[in-house]
Amino acid sequence: MRSGDPGERPHGDDLTDEATYEHVRFPSRRGLLRLSAGAGLTAGLSAALGPPPAAAATGIVKPLPPELFIPQGTNAEMRWEAMRGQGYLTPADRFFVRNHVATPLVDARTWRLRLWGTGLRGAPTEDRPVEFTYEDLLRLPAEEVTAFIECTGNARGFYTSQQGQEVSGTPWRLGAVGVARWRGVRLATVLRRAGVTPEAVDIMPRGLDAEFVDKGENLGRVRRPLPIAKAMKDALLAYGMNGAPLPPDHGHPVRLVVPSWAGIASIKWLGDIQVADEPLFSPWNTRYYRLFGPGHPEEGSAPLTRMNVKSAFELPWDASLPARPHVLHGRSWSGNGRIRHTEVSVDGGRTWRRARLRDRHPGPRGWVRWELPWRPGRPGRYELLARATDETGATQPATAPYNTLGYLFGAVVRHPVTIT
């Protein structure tokens, strides 16, 4: 980061960490509780701006064959067996879909990215923003980043099925994650061209999907604040995915990619970005995407950012396998950085063996593939377990701490198989 850039501060606090940042930008927890209770009030602004006429809701656009996906309401979960033999990246045809409402169809020819707010020179307003066309972004220096995007509730279903705890939200197993090679323009580049000032503290990216209604309350279009430090550090305005233009379900024409952070930060179908010299709030960083329940404050934890460590087998759930030698394959990932090692148990956790990591130099924002030979004994039921340790020393625990919304399940998952 250049000296004098927004987001750079004279003290040593890491302002790309939301938990640290919250104390800097909004020290009053009582005030935050009031904001959390009334977060839906900001829906009026979203409704006033509204999506451009080019956006039309059409559900999920791509085919969802049952051998690739598990339907989850407005979402689609990837089947892990569909990744077997697919290489490092998740193909777009099997990348999971997380929609609050429906996929909009947005015409790149008429699309505009609008930036406005008090954190820009001249404080452009929402009716007189700084605008970038799709072609404008294509002319700017392009970068590529290989990174996973993961729903914060990935593996939520195991709170109930494995730990016997009731949670709300989509009951994902482990298929709400994917790794892609994203191509686009650094958000920092566009913010500088738009005139970001040293006083900017927050940005608020907002999507072009329809307004989200929860229990009869209109919360407006999906939007979530991002600290300016993180925005300037490594966020990408992506228009490409795995060497092709973004598909509609994954954010066409442009989405935000915020590496290593919860998927909600990577807003799809990006329409506008508010840049502010004061803290910004929305339901997606007050009402949702915090930890609530026993052991947490009434207003919840700090907003969730980095994802935790997880592992998955490239096997069908409750797979049936013949009684012969097998090579078990899987993948592990972490929002903290590279995976150091993965251990596998084929006897329900009584003994563990190190798996062979197949990717010798994986990037810090993706996953690592691994394999382990297994010669099962007699026919019958088995539980396969995989646990990873990342470069910070964080290891998957036996159980996940409970929270009512079922976020961040990072415990070792017990994967059932039957040997016939």
Side-chain angles (χ1 to χ4, degrees), residues 40-380:
L41 297 177
T42 56
L45 174 60
S46 180
L49 288 175
T58 59
I60 294 178
V61 173
K62 68 182 180 183
L64 301 175
E67 65 272 18
L68 299 184
F69 291 101
I70 303 168
Q72 297 279 16
T74 60
N75 311 310
E77 177 173 359
M78 180 194 74
R79 291 187 183 272
W80 265 98
E81 61 269 32
M83 283 303 296
R84 183 73 183 93
Q86 288 301 314
Y88 187 82
L89 302 177
T90 308
D93 70 345
R94 59 203 69 197
F95 207 98
F96 83 101
V97 179
R98 168 65 172 107
N99 284 351
H100 279 76
V101 280
T103 295
L105 294 181
V106 182
D107 189 341
R109 296 168 298 181
T110 57
W111 173 86
R112 298 292 185 271
L113 176 61
R114 300 171 169 90
L115 292 94
W116 55 280
T118 55
L120 297 175
R121 282 196 303 270
T125 63
E126 56 264 43
D127 7 353
R128 292 180 176 272
V130 179
E131 293 191 346
F132 292 83
T133 67
Y134 190 71
E135 292 297 324
D136 288 336
L137 295 189
L138 293 180
R139 284 191 287 265
L140 292 174
E143 292 194 13
E144 289 190 338
V145 59
T146 297
F148 73 81
I149 288 181
E150 180 180 15
C151 178
T152 326
N154 193 26
R156 177 187 281 123
F158 296 113
Y159 277 109
T160 301
S161 65
Q162 193 164 289
Q163 298 187 181
Q165 297 167 318
E166 184 178 345
V167 295
S168 60
T170 301
W172 307 100
R173 286 181 184 152
L174 280 163
V177 64
V179 171
R181 186 174 68 251
W182 310 99
R183 182 176 178 84
V185 181
R186 284 175 60 91
L187 176 56
T189 299
V190 170
L191 288 172
R192 290 188 185 111
R193 286 178 176 253
V196 64
T197 69
E199 290 72 39
V201 297
D202 269 1
I203 70 166
M204 178 93 81
R206 180 168 45 181
L208 290 173
D209 41 343
E211 295 169 349
F212 177 62
V213 177
D214 184 20
K215 297 181 179 66
E217 182 181 1
N218 186 341
L219 301 180
R221 303 204 322 266
V222 176
R223 60 205 183 279
R224 189 175 194 254
L226 188 69
I228 193 71
K230 181 64 173 175
M232 300 296 289
K233 181 181 179 182
D234 59 359
L236 189 74
L237 295 171
Y239 47 72
M241 178 182 183
N242 295 344
L246 277 177
D249 295 307
H250 302 295
H252 178 81
V254 174
R255 72 172 299 161
L256 194 61
V257 173
V258 183
S260 304
W261 277 32
I264 185 61
S266 295
I267 298 291
K268 297 193 286 186
W269 316 294
L270 196 57
D272 70 290
I273 301 176
Q274 181 183 359
V275 185
D277 60 3
E278 61 183 4
L280 296 173
F281 299 91
S282 86
W284 287 270
N285 78 329
T286 56
R287 180 180 302 192
Y288 314 116
Y289 301 100
R290 291 173 177 257
L291 302 180
F292 296 95
H296 299 291
E298 185 181 356
E299 71 274 15
S301 69
L304 301 177
T305 54
R306 288 187 179 274
M307 294 303 294
N308 51 0
V309 193
K310 293 189 182 70
S311 300
F313 288 94
E314 294 174 358
L315 280 173
W317 189 255
D318 211 3
S320 182
L321 303 174
R324 59 172 174 78
H326 294 272
V327 177
L328 301 174
H329 292 83
R331 306 182 188 223
S332 301
W333 63 98
S334 172
N336 297 317
R338 294 176 177 85
I339 296 297
R340 184 182 296 164
H341 60 258
T342 298
E343 301 169 290
V344 174
S345 174
V346 297
D347 55 13
R350 289 189 295 274
T351 62
W352 297 86
R353 285 191 292 157
R354 288 269 182 109
R356 184 181 77 85
L357 302 187
R358 297 175 56 203
D359 301 301
R360 300 188 65 180
H361 302 289
R365 299 159 177 163
W367 49 31
V368 65
R369 296 173 293 172
W370 45 261
E371 63 184 22
L372 183 87
W374 178 37
R375 185 185 296 271
R378 67 185 63 183

